[in-house]
Amino acid sequence: MITTDQLYHKFLECTGVSTDTRRITPDCLFVALKGANFDGNQFAGQALAAGARYAVVDDSAVAAQHPGQCLLVADGLTALQDLARHHRQTLTIPVVGLTGSNGKTTTKELIAAVLSKKYRTFATQGNLNNHIGVPLSVLSITEQYETAVIEMGANHQREIALLSSIAMPSHGMITNIGKAHLEGFGGLAGVRIGKGELYDFLAASDGTVFVNWQDATLREMAAERSFQRLVPYWGNGEFTLIQEAPTVIFEGRQAPGVRVQTNLPGAYNFANMAAAIAIGQYFGVSFADACHAIADYNPTNNRSQTVVRGTNTVLLDAYNANPSSMAAAIRQFAQMPAQRRAIIVGDMYELGDDSEAEHAALGKLIADCQFDLVILAGKDTKYALPYVPKAYYFPDKFSLHNWLMDNPMTDTHVLIKGSRGMSLESVVPFI
C-alpha cells in the first residue's frame, strides 16, 4: 500500500483531484469513495480511460487490474483526508475557516469578495463543506493563492473537529448558533458544542478568532476559551443600519454619510457583511474597498436571491432552512413594503423528534405575520396548518406546481424558503 507521503508526490504530478467520474479532467487524480449504494472502486477503470493520471483505490483486485495507475490505500476517504491534511501543512497562507448554523455560504462569499480586493483568494466552491468537500477544497489551494476561505458544515458533533484538523484554519469565525440539524446534534446545546469545536481548534493552535460582539451566545462561547488573538466586531457602533428591506443599506463610522447599497435583505445578512468587513480590515483591505465588494455582491445560488417574474418579485431563499433561519427570513419578509405578500414554505429537515413542535411554531409565526397568501409544501408543514387554517397545503410539489399555474399571481412579493431536499426553486417558473 502507498503511504500518504508517497501519495502526495503522485498528487503533485496531477492537475487536480476528482471523486466523480463525470468530472474527470486530463491528468487528474481520481479517488474512489464508497457510499451506501455505490463503490467508487468499480469506476476506477472508467476514470483512467477518461483521462485520470492515477486512481486511488482500496480494493486490491481493482488495483491489480491497472498496475502502475491504481494506487492502493487502506481506505479511500481516509486517504483523501490525509492527503489534504498533508497538503495543508505545506501552505503558509492565512486560511479563514468558518462554520455556523445559518449564513455560512453567504458569509464565505462576502469574505472572499472583500479579501479579493487585495489578495488572490481561494474560497470553497458551492457547498463543498463536508468531510469530502473540505479535503477537496484544501487540495484545490495552489501556489497562486495568497489567502483562502474554507466553509465547514456539520450535522453532528466531532465533525467540525475533524474538518478543522484537515483545513487547519489560522483564523476563523462562527456565524451564529441556531436550531439546525437538531436531530444529529441532539438539541440546541449539542449545536453549541459542535460548532464550538472550531473555537476549540483555534484556541489550541493559537489561531485568531473573529467574534460578533452583538451575539451574546458567541461572546459567552469565546469567554469559555483562552484565545491568544480575539478580534471582536460589530459591537462598538462601527455601523449604522439604515434599511433592512427590500435590501440592506448601511453606513460606517469610518465614512459617515456615505451609504452602502447592497443586494441582500435583512439584519441577519448585515451580520454577515459586518464579519466580512472586519476580516477584510484585519488583513489590510481598506474600508472603502470592503464596502465596494459588499455592494457589488449579488447572490445567484438560491440564497437571498431576488428574481423578478413579470409583476412579481421573488425572494428565493430555497437553498436550506432550519427553525432559526426560517424565523429570521419570515420576520424580515413581513416587514418588507409590498402591495401584496405571499410565502411558499417547505419542510425543515433533520429536526428529529422536534419536527412537529418546530413546524407548529412556524405556523404560529406565520399567523402572527398575517401574509396575504400562505402556501405550505411537504410532509411536516402540515403541523403548521392548525395555526394558519386559510393556508394552501400541498404534500407534494407536483400539485403545488399545478395550483400555481391555475392561480397566477400578480403584483406580489413572494418568499420561497425550505430545506435543500425540498428543492423549492422549482416553483419559480410557475410564478
Side-chain angles (χ1 to χ4, degrees):
M1 288 190 184
I2 194 169
T3 66
T4 300
D5 187 61
Q6 291 169 330
L7 179 57
Y8 188 69
H9 282 85
K10 296 292 186 181
F11 160 76
L12 293 177
E13 298 177 23
C14 299
T15 56
V17 180
S18 176
T19 61
D20 187 340
T21 52
R22 295 168 297 182
R23 293 176 174 83
I24 296 297
T25 56
D27 285 326
C28 73
L29 177 69
F30 173 72
V31 180
L33 301 179
K34 295 176 182 175
N37 301 307
F38 68 91
D39 181 353
N41 289 286
Q42 303 307 312
F43 299 96
Q46 181 179 332
L48 292 170
R53 189 179 186 92
Y54 299 109
V56 177
V57 299
D58 53 21
D59 185 322
S60 57
V62 172
Q65 294 172 10
H66 306 277
Q69 283 188 289
C70 275
L71 310 174
L72 183 63
V73 297
D75 178 80
L77 176 59
T78 301
L80 175 67
Q81 294 170 342
D82 287 345
L83 180 64
R85 194 176 285 111
H86 191 290
H87 180 60
R88 172 65 184 93
Q89 291 173 328
T90 70
L91 302 174
T92 57
I93 64 173
V95 174
V96 179
L98 76 153
T99 189
S101 298
N102 306 312
K104 291 186 296 297
T105 299
T106 298
T107 305
K108 175 258 297 182
E109 295 288 337
L110 290 170
I111 294 171
V114 169
L115 290 177
S116 293
K117 287 292 185 179
K118 186 173 182 178
Y119 305 98
R120 295 188 299 274
T121 301
F122 173 87
T124 298
Q125 298 298 303
N127 65 332
L128 292 175
N129 65 4
N130 64 4
H131 61 295
I132 298 171
V134 168
L136 290 174
S137 296
V138 170
L139 288 167
S140 297
I141 304 174
T142 62
E143 293 180 351
Q144 68 177 299
Y145 295 110
E146 298 171 307
T147 60
V149 186
I150 300 294
E151 178 185 337
M152 296 183 286
N155 57 18
H156 58 269
Q157 291 175 31
R158 302 309 302 164
E159 191 167 8
I160 295 298
L162 169 66
L163 300 182
S164 295
S165 77
I166 296 170
M168 299 181 193
S170 54
H171 303 71
M173 63 162 290
I174 299 174
T175 57
N176 47 55
I177 302 297
K179 294 179 177 180
H181 306 294
L182 296 180
E183 184 175 24
F185 279 112
L188 190 57
V191 175
R192 176 172 170 157
I193 293 170
K195 299 299 184 181
E197 290 164 10
L198 176 57
Y199 278 2
D200 293 336
F201 180 88
L202 291 168
S205 60
D206 293 335
T208 300
V209 62
F210 301 92
V211 181
N212 178 352
W213 221 242
Q214 287 202 4
D215 190 313
T217 300
L218 296 179
R219 289 201 314 268
E220 291 169 3
M221 291 173 62
E224 293 165 0
R225 297 160 174 87
S226 178
F227 292 106
Q228 293 294 318
R229 288 172 292 278
L230 188 153
V231 180
Y233 65 90
W234 197 24
N236 194 28
E238 302 102 312
F239 304 101
T240 300
L241 183 56
I242 307 297
Q243 172 185 298
E244 296 183 23
T247 57
V248 167
I249 298 176
F250 70 92
E251 62 181 49
R253 190 171 57 192
Q254 295 187 32
V258 178
R259 295 191 170 186
V260 181
Q261 170 75 62
T262 76
N263 297 300
L264 292 169
Y268 56 93
N269 269 317
F270 181 64
N272 304 333
M273 299 174 199
I277 292 171
I279 292 173
Q281 289 192 280
Y282 178 88
F283 285 106
V285 178
S286 72
F287 180 76
D289 281 348
C291 288
H292 284 143
I294 298 295
D296 289 342
Y297 175 72
N298 207 342
T300 57
N301 52 11
N302 297 335
R303 295 175 171 90
S304 299
Q305 182 179 347
T306 299
V307 181
V308 176
R309 297 284 298 173
T311 62
N312 302 314
T313 299
V314 178
L315 179 58
L316 181 59
D317 200 0
Y319 190 82
N320 219 334
N322 57 58
S324 299
S325 66
M326 185 73 84
I330 287 175
R331 289 193 182 102
Q332 175 60 45
F333 187 68
Q335 298 172 16
M336 183 176 292
Q339 180 178 334
R340 186 170 184 265
R341 288 190 299 267
I343 63 170
I344 301 175
V345 171
D347 282 349
M348 300 177 289
Y349 286 12
E350 295 186 54
L351 295 178
D353 293 339
D354 294 315
S355 187
E356 181 174 350
E358 292 295 348
H359 283 89
L362 173 62
K364 296 175 186 176
L365 173 60
I366 293 172
D368 290 342
C369 293
Q370 299 181 338
F371 294 110
D372 297 291
L373 173 64
V374 176
I375 298 174
L376 306 175
K379 176 175 65 70
D380 286 357
T381 53
K382 66 176 179 287
Y383 297 121
L385 271 175
Y387 305 96
V388 278
K390 293 183 179 180
Y392 293 88
Y393 171 66
F394 302 94
D396 63 88
K397 286 194 301 179
F398 178 75
S399 52
L400 168 59
H401 293 168
N402 285 335
W403 187 90
L404 289 170
M405 285 191 292
D406 293 339
N407 298 271
M409 300 183 203
T410 56
D411 302 311
T412 303
H413 276 63
V414 186
L415 170 66
I416 302 176
K417 190 164 180 65
S419 280
R420 181 84 299 266
M422 291 295 299
S423 301
L424 282 181
E425 64 273 13
S426 68
V427 308
V428 173
F430 301 97
I431 293 177

